[in-house]
Amino acid sequence: MQDVIGEPGNLAVSLNQHPRYVNPEKCTGCGVCVEACPIRYEVQLPPETEAAARTAYASATDEETVTGIIGRYRDERGNLLPILLDINRHFNWLPRPALEHVSQELATPLTEILRVASFYNAFSLVPRGKHIINVCLGTGCFVKGSPRLLDQVERKLGISHGETTEDMLFTLEVVRCIGCCALAPALRVGEATFGRVTPAQVSKIIDSYTQAASS
Amino acid sequence: MKITSLEQLLKVKEKGLRQTYPGKIKVMVGMATCGISAGADKVYQTLKSKIQELGLDVVLTKTGCIGYCQVEPLVDVVYPGKVRLTYQGMTPEKAGELAEALKAGQILTDYLMCRIDAEEMLIEGTTRPYANPHPPELPAEVPSYQELDYFKKQVKISLRNCGFIDPESIEQYIGRGGYQALFRAVTAMTPEEVIGQVKAAGLRGRGGAGFPTGLKWEFCRKAPGDLKYVICNADEGDPGAFMDRGILEGDPHAVIEGMAIGAYAMGATEGYIYCRAEYPLAIEHLKTAIFQAEAYGLLGESIFGSGFSFRLKIREGAGAFVCGEETALIASIEGRVGEPRPRPPFPAQSGLWGKPTTINNVKTWSHIAPIIARGAQWYASLGCESSKGTTVFSLVGKVNRSGLVEVPLGITLREMIYELGGGIIGDRTFKAVQTGGPSGGCIPAELLDTPVDYDSLGALGSIMGSGGMIVMDDRDCMVNVARYFLDFTQDESCGKCTPCREGTLRLKEMLEAICEGQGQEGDIEKLEKISQLIKKTSLCGLGATAPNPVLTTIKYFRDEYIAHIRDKKCSAKVCKPLITFTVIDDQCIGCQLCRLRCPAEAIEGAKKTVHNILQDKCIKCGTCFDSCKFAAIAVE
């Protein structure tokens, strides 16, 4: 408090306040302020950021798609995750323009969205292949030899898990249990699940997708 | 049509029964994820086209998993006026044979697993027998369902409808007594009476920690607040466990009805089912089920005209194991990063969006309707003193019969593995059974007579957990298993608190070194010390239980650790840096199979001459060992 003037019942007080904004030069995007803020998640954006131009979408229809997805959940509370899941499903990853789009529409800082997007395993911030191969490394599969299955898929595709083939056809990932434990070891290509897979069958399964793509 | 009276509910029940028992031949294909991955999709398509092609007057439907995943795809045929038969290991060809037999008016007697003489109607406490379980054309040796070792000791409450109804038909669920418990609760019982029943039943949370469900409900009921939430935790993250998937795919209404009863008891008006995204079929079935329940007015405004309203939504997870922890799960539903927070305040006081919230597991919710319908006394008569009722386990790993089993608590591990599971594959030696996922531990052979209940397993340093039970034999290295779980928890640790984030990484590094033959004297003691520290100081359950796999394997399999560290030997022959593959000269006939299959081109040798493995090229994948038909490959 700096100064008080006037009479009791009619006082004017001058206060010294700390700044109520985030200094972008010092911000590391840790998100702690968002957690601590008593008005949780009602983050105020300075007006100039709202007007900032977004990164362009690869094609015009992409923007419509994302607008549609956001519209589907707009009135729901806690809608960030469902929106990101649908975008991730549509593109197979989370393209930057889409995240900026969501940030603007939901009036949520991009750092917060990126924090959520990088936390969950389901999201990818880099483009992924057309078919996502998930080799199950759940305990049931693990004891039935899925590490060897994974080795075989890696050799067959010439990539390690977490990587995408050059032709953008396959991305290889590991999953912690798809609930197919009684038919271990299991792997999933897209939505198709294969049970009791032997390393010898790997070639056949992958080839069937390669052939379908080239024909 | 909205159901507002018992008469209307019973009318839908009649309709459901007509659907379930149509009075003509009915063919059911087990189409849960497990069935589909075994090929049930193709079997279903074949049956569909064959039925059309042959012009058969047959009802073809899908059903959930009856639990015996090992022998899938399963096809059940109800022969009206006779019996229901279960066919195992079906293929499109066998399905074709089945259709031909039906066309000829015969009973197919090949590929039979069992006959089902009667179906139990759990909610009503009755059985519905089939007219003629022994038709003359059926071979006498075909066992009945209840005679099979796998099913003999099972008591199905959570799984009461799985494999018996079409999960996408609410009428069939109602046909087997569904929503009668909800009717009774909201029209004839006070919320306090409902909670009293759940308390008296002695139901404990089936998610793993075993907190008394009735007590949890009472806290939430008494918490001040006009808006309350109920949540179903279907984020079944434990690797090696798939009970929740089985229930949600095979009988989604069992969970929905339980949640509605719980909401009534606690005064909640909104609910969420948080289901992991890795279960797309479960989510699909849940969506259908909620839509159907809303159409009948079993969810929504003024259910049964009682004034009690309840809305239910589905939220998909996004692949984070820690979201199974209740405060992290709440954060995730709120659209935030799924990080746990310290308790108190407990969710019952301040949960979702700061409102009183109750979170229960899928299995817990699925037990509610039977408790209300049959009474607390009936439920409490099952199970043992400290742990009442039944629970579902996923019995998997190196066991002859694997799948979902629902057993009364108190059954011993030996009964589970040797009677239900039929012993170890290939009659090998049992080494350990892992319960409780990454939070649990490995239990050795000498403790196989331990009863399965919350307290007995806890006393051994493991936990009951959500119900994964992974059987391991002498070819599983326990150090490697501990490394596997630490790799998992380290990866899934959210990073918020230091003991878990840094501690699990240190444990993992040390275990990796031991598996690579770099272990040093004193490592075991160091592992134990760090483990105790993590247990005591972590923020949430993930960290507090993460060291359990390490501690239990050290406790029961210390010799293996010592062999790895001191002798640089892996007795299970799993840890690659500690083993070598060689050709046994006397046994090798030079068939070239291993040479051709070797992915690393590490085997040389001409036809009919003894082969040789080039050690510098060998990647120790084990392909030669598996492919050799003459046992000519040695692993040391």
Side-chain angles (χ1 to χ4, degrees):
Chain A
M1 199 167 76
Q2 269 188 333
D3 199 15
V4 184
I5 48 170
E7 307 271 310
N10 183 23
L11 289 170
V13 181
S14 307
L15 286 175
N16 221 353
Q17 286 191 325
H18 285 293
R20 293 289 203 275
Y21 58 85
V22 177
N23 183 345
E25 279 176 11
K26 289 184 180 168
C27 176
T28 59
C30 70
V32 171
C33 60
V34 183
E35 294 275 313
C37 182
I39 323 164
R40 275 207 302 197
Y41 299 101
E42 289 175 25
V43 179
Q44 307 299 311
L45 289 175
E48 60 270 18
T49 324
E50 265 175 53
R54 290 205 313 257
T55 318
Y57 275 105
S59 80
T61 52
D62 289 352
E63 176 152 17
E64 281 169 38
T65 309
V66 175
T67 309
I69 290 170
I70 297 170
R72 218 178 295 160
Y73 300 101
R74 185 176 290 282
D75 301 327
E76 222 171 282
R77 238 178 141 184
N79 51 8
L80 182 57
L81 228 53
I83 289 174
L84 292 184
L85 275 167
D86 276 8
I87 295 173
N88 195 59
R89 243 189 294 264
H90 178 79
F91 294 99
N92 247 349
W93 68 296
L94 296 174
R96 182 78 177 198
L99 295 179
E100 290 175 12
H101 191 165
V102 174
S103 159
Q104 222 168 63
E105 292 277 330
L106 299 187
T108 307
L110 190 61
T111 46
E112 177 60 17
I113 292 177
L114 283 170
R115 192 164 170 249
V116 170
S118 57
F119 180 83
Y120 293 98
N121 291 334
F123 302 127
S124 174
L125 294 169
V126 291
R128 291 190 290 184
K130 185 176 169 200
H131 303 293
I132 295 170
I133 302 179
N134 270 304
V135 177
C136 182
L137 279 187
T139 326
C141 288
F142 180 78
V143 302
K144 288 278 192 86
S146 69
R148 284 177 52 195
L149 194 63
L150 179 64
D151 285 349
Q152 184 64 27
V153 180
E154 287 183 338
R155 274 197 296 272
K156 169 76 186 166
L157 294 174
I159 53 172
S160 299
H161 62 271
E163 295 177 354
T164 302
T165 53
E166 253 174 49
D167 58 4
M168 293 302 288
L169 197 56
F170 297 105
T171 295
L172 178 59
E173 293 182 349
V174 295
V175 62
R176 304 296 195 171
C177 198
I178 50 175
C180 220
C181 319
L183 294 153
L187 64 81
R188 194 176 259 175
V189 184
E191 298 254 301
T193 312
F194 299 85
R196 288 198 199 105
V197 186
T198 61
Q201 289 171 334
V202 165
S203 273
K204 213 175 130 194
I205 294 172
I206 291 174
D207 287 345
S208 70
Y209 285 89
T210 320
Q211 277 156 18
S214 58
S215 61
Chain B
M1 181 197 81
K2 305 265 185 218
I3 300 173
T4 52
S5 66
L6 190 60
E7 289 71 45
Q8 284 169 332
L9 185 66
L10 293 178
K11 225 178 207 170
V12 180
K13 184 188 161 191
E14 287 309 313
K15 191 176 159 195
L17 281 174
R18 280 197 303 277
Q19 260 187 37
T20 319
Y21 308 100
K24 51 183 168 184
I25 292 177
K26 188 172 95 159
V27 181
M28 301 153 81
V29 185
M31 294 278 273
T33 300
C34 43
I36 292 171
S37 70
D41 225 354
K42 287 180 192 128
V43 171
Y44 184 83
Q45 292 308 331
T46 310
L47 282 167
K48 198 174 169 187
S49 58
K50 271 279 180 187
I51 286 169
Q52 224 160 29
E53 183 192 315
L54 299 173
L56 298 177
D57 185 22
V58 163
V59 180
L60 176 68
T61 78
K62 299 177 183 182
T63 186
C65 176
I66 201 161
Y68 200 176
C69 309
Q70 177 84 33
V71 292
E72 278 183 306
L74 287 168
V75 174
D76 278 57
V77 182
V78 178
Y79 296 92
K82 290 177 186 162
V83 67
R84 171 176 162 178
L85 297 177
T86 305
Y87 297 92
Q88 60 181 351
M90 294 301 276
T91 60
E93 295 75 41
K94 293 175 185 173
E97 283 178 51
L98 176 64
E100 294 291 346
L102 294 177
K103 171 78 179 170
Q106 290 166 348
I107 288 182
L108 181 71
T109 51
D110 294 330
Y111 324 123
L112 271 173
M113 178 171 89
C114 65
R115 42 168 234 276
I116 296 178
D117 301 348
E119 290 185 15
E120 194 191 359
M121 303 295 204
L122 182 89
I123 297 289
E124 288 159 340
T126 57
T127 49
R128 194 185 165 93
Y130 281 100
N132 182 7
H134 298 281
E137 58 268 47
L138 189 69
E141 68 271 15
V142 176
S144 91
Y145 170 73
Q146 285 88 353
E147 283 164 13
L148 292 179
D149 287 334
Y150 190 74
F151 292 109
K152 208 185 285 175
K153 290 201 170 166
Q154 293 200 41
V155 178
K156 296 194 171 194
I157 297 177
S158 281
L159 300 175
R160 57 189 181 270
N161 294 323
C162 291
F164 290 93
I165 62 166
D166 177 357
E168 292 182 278
S169 162
I170 188 172
E171 290 85 6
Q172 293 193 19
Y173 176 75
I174 295 173
R176 287 171 67 90
Y179 289 105
Q180 288 183 19
L182 177 63
F183 181 83
R184 182 188 295 179
V186 302
T187 58
M189 292 170 83
T190 64
E192 286 75 16
E193 280 169 354
V194 175
I195 293 175
Q197 283 290 308
V198 176
K199 270 172 96 172
L203 176 64
R204 293 171 68 174
R206 294 291 188 253
F211 192 80
T213 305
L215 213 55
K216 199 177 196 174
W217 287 20
E218 198 171 56
F219 289 146
C220 188
R221 169 92 204 154
K222 287 182 177 160
D226 46 349
L227 187 59
K228 291 175 187 175
Y229 293 99
V230 290
I231 296 176
C232 172
N233 184 349
D235 189 50
E236 190 172 44
D238 274 5
F242 59 105
M243 305 75 55
D244 297 354
R245 176 185 67 70
I247 297 166
L248 293 173
E249 287 179 356
D251 193 17
H253 287 287
V255 177
I256 295 172
E257 186 181 0
M259 289 184 77
I261 295 170
Y264 171 74
M266 285 171 272
T269 49
E270 278 186 47
Y272 284 92
I273 299 176
Y274 186 88
C275 185
R276 67 198 291 247
E278 287 87 343
Y279 290 169
L281 191 66
I283 292 170
E284 195 187 309
H285 283 184
L286 276 172
K287 280 184 181 158
T288 311
I290 290 176
F291 178 78
Q292 291 171 340
E294 281 170 350
Y296 275 120
L298 300 170
L299 285 175
E301 297 297 317
S302 189
I303 294 167
F304 293 120
S306 64
F308 160 66
S309 304
F310 180 57
R311 272 170 305 278
L312 191 54
K313 286 180 189 157
I314 302 169
R315 272 299 160 87
E316 266 178 69
F321 174 69
V322 70
C323 287
E325 199 278 342
E326 56 181 11
T327 58
L329 189 151
I330 288 172
S332 187
I333 292 182
E334 289 175 355
R336 295 186 284 131
V337 164
E339 281 177 355
R341 61 159 178 78
R343 295 175 299 182
F346 288 91
Q349 275 92 44
S350 172
L352 189 59
W353 289 301
K355 305 289 180 196
T357 304
T358 289
I359 303 183
N360 282 131
N361 173 270
V362 170
K363 292 181 288 300
T364 317
W365 287 122
S366 68
H367 281 243
I368 301 301
I371 288 175
I372 299 301
R374 299 282 299 270
Q377 253 185 343
W378 162 79
Y379 189 83
S381 70
L382 299 162
C384 59
E385 190 50 40
S386 65
S387 311
K388 302 290 185 202
T390 64
T391 194
V392 191
F393 286 99
S394 70
L395 187 60
V396 296
K398 307 280 178 65
V399 70
N400 275 319
R401 290 189 284 266
S402 55
L404 291 179
V405 293
E406 182 164 10
V407 287
L409 290 165
I411 189 170
T412 66
L413 288 165
R414 189 183 300 281
E415 285 173 278
M416 292 274 292
I417 294 163
Y418 284 92
E419 292 181 32
L420 279 73
I424 310 300
I425 296 177
D427 272 333
R428 297 195 69 95
T429 315
F430 168 88
K431 188 186 258 184
V433 57
Q434 209 279 341
T435 68
S439 306
C442 295
I443 300 167
E446 56 269 27
L447 295 170
L448 269 178
D449 290 310
T450 309
V452 178
D453 61 63
Y454 294 96
D455 308 310
S456 305
L457 292 185
L460 300 183
S462 184
I463 60 165
M464 189 152 93
S466 62
M469 199 165 265
I470 297 106
V471 179
M472 301 177 195
D473 67 9
D474 54 349
R475 282 183 297 181
D476 290 303
C477 167
M478 301 318 283
V479 185
N480 189 42
V481 166
R483 182 199 59 78
Y484 163 81
F485 279 114
L486 262 295
D487 181 50
F488 181 92
T489 34
Q490 192 270 323
D491 192 34
E492 294 292 346
S493 168
C494 74
K496 187 171 181 174
C497 75
T498 318
C500 176
R501 184 185 64 236
E502 300 298 327
T504 54
L505 181 63
R506 293 288 96 79
L507 288 181
K508 183 188 144 191
E509 284 170 352
M510 288 174 70
L511 289 165
E512 276 175 349
I514 296 173
C515 287
E516 282 166 15
Q518 313 283 323
Q520 289 163 4
E521 291 292 333
D523 273 1
I524 299 178
E525 291 71 25
K526 221 186 270 175
L527 282 170
E528 286 174 325
K529 198 177 158 197
I530 299 175
S531 294
Q532 293 300 348
L533 191 76
I534 300 172
K535 268 179 98 87
K536 280 185 200 138
T537 54
S538 289
L539 172 63
C540 82
L542 192 155
T545 58
N548 283 351
V550 183
L551 290 171
T552 54
T553 47
I554 292 179
K555 187 170 169 191
Y556 300 119
F557 302 95
R558 207 181 182 97
D559 291 352
E560 273 190 53
Y561 277 85
I562 293 172
H564 277 72
I565 294 169
R566 224 171 270 166
D567 314 327
K568 313 293 177 203
K569 288 266 181 246
C570 175
S571 61
K573 302 189 171 94
V574 172
C575 298
K576 283 183 185 178
L578 306 183
I579 53 172
T580 48
F581 288 82
T582 47
V583 175
I584 305 169
D585 293 359
D586 297 348
Q587 305 270 8
C588 179
I589 63 151
C591 71
Q592 296 222 309
L593 194 63
C594 60
R595 190 180 73 81
L596 294 170
R597 291 216 177 141
C598 176
E601 296 181 1
I603 300 178
E604 55 178 20
K607 216 170 185 177
K608 293 188 180 166
T609 61
V610 174
H611 294 357
N612 178 36
I613 298 175
L614 303 168
Q615 295 302 333
D616 54 334
K617 277 191 175 177
C618 177
I619 56 168
K620 296 169 186 175
C621 67
T623 308
C624 53
F625 183 85
D626 288 343
S627 53
C628 184
K629 295 192 170 82
F630 305 95
I633 306 285
V635 197
E636 284 305 325

